[in-house]
Amino acid sequence: MKTKKISGSEAVLLSLLEEGVDTIFGYPGGAIMPVYDLLYDYQDKINHILTRHEQGAAHAAQGYARVSGKVGVCMVTSGPGATNLTTGLADAMLDSTPIICISGQVHAPLLGSDAFQETDVMGFSMPITKWNIQVTKAEDIPGAIAKAFFIATTGRPGPVMIDITKDAQFAEFDYSYERCNDVRSYVPRPILQMEYVEKAADLINNAKKPMALVGQGVILSGAEKEMLAFLEKAGIPAAWTLLGASSIPTDHPLNVGMLGMHGNYGPNIKTNECDLLIALGMRFDDRVTGKVDTYGTLAKIVHFEIDPAEVNKNVIADVAVIADIKETLEAILPLINQNKRDEWLNQFKIAYQYEYDKVIKNDLHPEKEELTMGEVVRRVNERMNGEAICITDVGQHQMIASRYFKFKNTRSLVTSGGLGTMGFGLPAAFGAQTGAPDKTVVLFVGDGGIQMTIQELGTIAQNKAKIKIILLNNNFLGMVRQWQQLFFDKRYSSTELVNPDFITIAKGFGIDGNTVETRDKLDAAIDEMFNFDGPFLLEVKVEKEGNVFPMVAAGASVSDVRLD
């Protein structure tokens, strides 16, 4: 093995290059300065993108990872630089996003002394990372980075935090790099056990009314083709979780819509009518199940899952196949009988028509004077024909976009699921555009969420990222207001916003934009946005008190889904 004497700082960069990293999102500071100094000499090999806040760096790394399938990397300084990453780390942890965050730290002899900009990075990051490590010796840097990439990307992916003291960055050692392929006691890929595959196949073959629940695990495993082959052979209707969106094309005949609190009427109602629920890489989150005691009351449960900790955690499975979902689907396909189940599928069509008449028609083709979020998404669909990547922030617009955006390709929805992070949208959109530069990236964001990370307009402008930002402005924290209307007697406590002139702010950053308030100008404004060669902010002023339906109230049964 060849070695050469280099500093710890250079070892960081060379190790990242060994792992195929070509992009880092970050923000410099004193404790990480040695690495940034060496980065100056690696500008032709590593593209460093200066965000405007460390939280933005973490979310950008998430967006990059979600669309590219690669690891997102961000780098910050100690103290507030590291603590500002916590929201992104927690978000990535809940949404199984592989990112690696590198933070500088004070000199090792100062650890525990409350030195300037010292924080307990290991302590605060432990519960919100898949693994973390503090490096105090230069010679340990390559091994830590190699192990970090292995852990972040294998099994159920997740975030990793590497904290490196400043003296370790300065020190020199004989550098060599070896990729990590094994960690003692860590088994990322459980061994597939065919006896459970056979039991699952038997339940599926004998089911009269099965329904598949498609989660992000299918996307993370790259098992979209295997899933479609399985569904089509068995004739099983498939509903998807928020993060499972885009795993199955919107127009696929077996796609019956979104699950959960603001999911489609059919999948929610049929959950308690089907005789078999087949969970494909999803974790039975409370937003999907509603009241667990009344969930899937007539159904047996088959759970295909890579993470043993998620099995029997919320919903008890009759058969659990713990393995990589792609491997599981390949193994079960020959055991599945050919089936059509036309009568069962037709029941979902009837439910959809009922929902269309009660909700969807009014969302997409409103007769009211005020613009709706749904008609904006519909118009974008007509313009892009499912070829764009959809990014959302969090709130009412997130649910509307996820419900109505047309998906043709996998990895084309990036949103904050488990943590529900307002402010996620702008930096995640930039990261997504960086990870998929040849794709059109469309961001749907609310007037509340955009103000949480609005400084990242500077990152977008500086890098000339051609992101199309659609700000759906209702002058409210809309989702909270909806709950206040429905469950708190319309006591709108601290949810109405007095907003700034968003277009003027965007133009101050060097981003062009326009505002639309009436329906007759919407189409032309959307065309203007997509025809513009560069980033563009389109503010659409929508109805102030519009609600998102269907809705399963917190703690209610999925059978109690309401349409108004």
Side-chain angles (χ1 to χ4, degrees):
M1 184 184 299
K2 287 187 176 181
T3 64
K4 63 176 180 176
K5 203 170 191 67
I6 62 170
S7 68
S9 299
E10 191 166 11
V12 170
L13 300 177
L14 289 178
S15 298
L16 292 176
L17 287 170
E18 288 280 357
E19 294 290 346
V21 173
D22 56 16
T23 301
I24 299 174
F25 305 92
Y27 205 99
I32 197 67
M33 195 74 72
V35 178
Y36 270 90
D37 180 62
L38 265 294
L39 187 61
Y40 190 86
D41 298 328
Y42 282 82
Q43 296 177 68
D44 60 332
K45 296 179 180 178
I46 297 178
N47 178 29
H48 178 273
I49 295 167
L50 175 64
T51 58
R52 297 304 185 265
H53 191 282
E54 292 89 353
Q55 180 184 348
H59 292 327
Q62 289 178 270
Y64 177 91
R66 294 269 287 273
V67 301
S68 69
K70 300 177 183 178
V71 178
V73 178
C74 59
M75 187 164 66
V76 301
T77 193
S78 64
T83 60
N84 283 341
L85 289 178
T86 54
T87 299
L89 286 169
D91 196 285
M93 185 68 176
L94 281 168
D95 286 353
S96 304
T97 305
I99 63 172
I100 288 178
C101 301
I102 298 172
S103 60
Q105 183 55 276
V106 300
H107 287 263
L110 295 176
L111 289 172
S113 70
D114 293 332
F116 177 67
Q117 291 195 331
E118 180 196 0
T119 53
D120 181 6
V121 173
M122 294 298 96
F124 73 68
S125 66
M126 182 175 291
I128 53 174
T129 54
K130 190 176 177 185
W131 182 64
N132 67 359
I133 186 171
Q134 186 171 77
V135 181
T136 59
K137 296 180 180 179
E139 57 265 31
D140 293 336
I141 289 173
I145 291 177
K147 188 174 179 180
F149 272 84
F150 178 68
I151 291 174
T153 58
T154 53
R156 180 179 179 178
V160 169
M161 186 86 190
I162 307 174
D163 192 48
I164 307 175
T165 61
K166 196 168 184 179
D167 48 335
Q169 297 171 46
F170 277 124
E172 293 189 343
F173 71 106
D174 291 325
Y175 171 83
S176 64
Y177 194 81
E178 184 176 349
R179 287 199 174 193
C180 178
N181 295 305
D182 179 71
V183 175
R184 190 176 64 181
S185 78
Y186 171 55
V187 184
R189 193 181 178 97
I191 297 173
L192 180 68
Q193 298 185 47
M194 282 303 298
E195 63 175 299
Y196 296 108
V197 174
E198 291 165 359
K199 289 179 180 179
D202 185 59
L203 285 177
I204 293 166
N205 288 333
N206 286 293
K208 302 298 182 184
K209 296 180 177 181
M211 181 168 70
L213 316 175
V214 182
Q216 190 190 200
V218 171
I219 297 173
L220 295 174
S221 179
E224 295 90 343
K225 290 182 180 178
E226 290 79 5
M227 176 194 67
L228 284 178
F230 166 75
L231 296 174
E232 289 167 356
K233 185 175 183 181
I236 298 174
W240 36 271
T241 67
L242 179 62
L243 295 188
S246 82
S247 58
I248 179 170
T250 300
D251 61 359
H252 194 284
L254 293 174
N255 185 342
V256 295
M258 187 166 81
L259 293 162
M261 178 172 281
H262 290 291
N264 291 97
Y265 181 70
N268 278 315
I269 290 296
K270 299 303 175 186
T271 296
N272 284 344
E273 295 179 20
C274 64
D275 59 3
L276 181 67
L277 290 171
I278 307 161
L280 304 175
M282 55 85 73
R283 60 189 179 92
F284 289 108
D285 176 76
D286 63 287
R287 282 298 198 258
V288 166
T289 65
K291 187 179 180 181
V292 175
D293 293 346
T294 59
Y295 180 79
T297 51
L298 303 178
K300 290 187 179 297
I301 308 290
V302 171
H303 197 173
F304 295 163
E305 173 60 48
I306 196 169
D307 185 356
E310 295 296 350
V311 176
N312 297 330
K313 185 175 81 173
N314 299 322
V315 173
I316 304 301
D318 292 275
V319 176
V321 183
I322 302 173
D324 183 277
I325 187 74
K326 186 170 185 174
E327 184 182 5
T328 299
L329 290 171
E330 288 173 344
I332 202 170
L333 187 62
L335 307 179
I336 297 298
N337 296 335
Q338 195 83 35
N339 209 322
K340 286 292 185 185
R341 295 191 170 92
D342 292 334
E343 184 178 341
W344 173 231
L345 283 165
N346 192 54
Q347 292 187 36
F348 286 89
K349 295 176 183 177
I350 294 170
Y352 177 83
Q353 187 61 50
Y354 181 71
E355 180 185 349
Y356 182 87
D357 294 338
K358 292 282 188 178
V359 176
I360 298 172
K361 180 181 177 181
N362 297 324
D363 282 345
L364 301 186
H365 303 279
E367 295 181 356
K368 63 185 75 174
E369 182 178 338
E370 295 175 295
L371 287 165
T372 67
M373 295 183 183
E375 65 182 307
V376 179
V377 177
R378 173 180 62 81
R379 179 64 184 93
V380 170
N381 283 333
E382 291 168 355
R383 186 65 163 71
M384 294 308 302
N385 195 29
E387 293 296 340
I389 293 175
C390 175
I391 316 294
T392 84
D393 205 87
V394 169
Q396 287 181 314
H397 68 276
Q398 176 190 31
M399 296 296 102
I400 291 290
S402 301
R403 280 171 52 81
Y404 296 131
F405 199 84
K406 302 294 185 185
F407 299 107
K408 277 189 176 179
N409 306 305
T410 189
R411 293 187 177 270
S412 54
L413 175 70
V414 177
T415 192
S416 172
L419 197 62
T421 303
M422 290 178 68
F424 176 85
L426 267 181
F430 176 76
Q433 186 71 82
T434 306
D438 298 329
K439 290 280 190 177
T440 298
V441 172
V442 178
L443 165 64
F444 292 98
V445 64
D447 46 315
I450 195 172
Q451 293 183 76
M452 288 194 169
T453 52
I454 199 166
Q455 69 275 3
E456 298 307 332
L457 288 173
T459 308
I460 292 169
Q462 181 172 343
N463 292 276
K464 299 180 174 60
K466 299 180 181 181
I467 300 165
K468 309 306 177 184
I469 305 164
I470 302 172
L471 168 58
L472 299 174
N473 184 357
N474 58 11
N475 291 105
F476 267 114
L477 300 177
M479 190 62 83
V480 183
R481 184 214 55 78
Q482 177 170 335
W483 280 55
Q484 289 174 335
Q485 176 186 336
L486 298 177
F487 308 116
F488 293 89
D489 299 322
K490 293 188 177 181
R491 291 161 60 88
Y492 295 161
S493 175
S494 302
T495 47
E496 188 165 9
L497 295 169
V498 178
N499 285 321
D501 184 335
F502 290 109
I503 302 304
T504 296
I505 290 174
K507 289 184 176 179
F509 280 104
I511 295 175
D512 210 341
N514 197 0
T515 299
V516 173
E517 299 186 51
T518 58
R519 185 166 290 112
D520 61 315
K521 296 182 179 179
L522 178 61
D523 286 356
I526 289 176
D527 286 339
E528 177 192 15
M529 175 183 67
F530 282 116
N531 291 332
F532 186 80
D533 187 22
F536 194 96
L537 173 62
L538 175 60
E539 177 188 20
V540 184
K541 295 193 175 181
V542 297
E543 56 181 338
K544 286 195 69 172
E545 296 187 54
N547 289 330
V548 183
F549 290 108
M551 181 178 184
V552 179
S557 167
V558 289
S559 296
D560 297 327
V561 56
R562 54 189 294 179
L563 299 179
D564 54 30

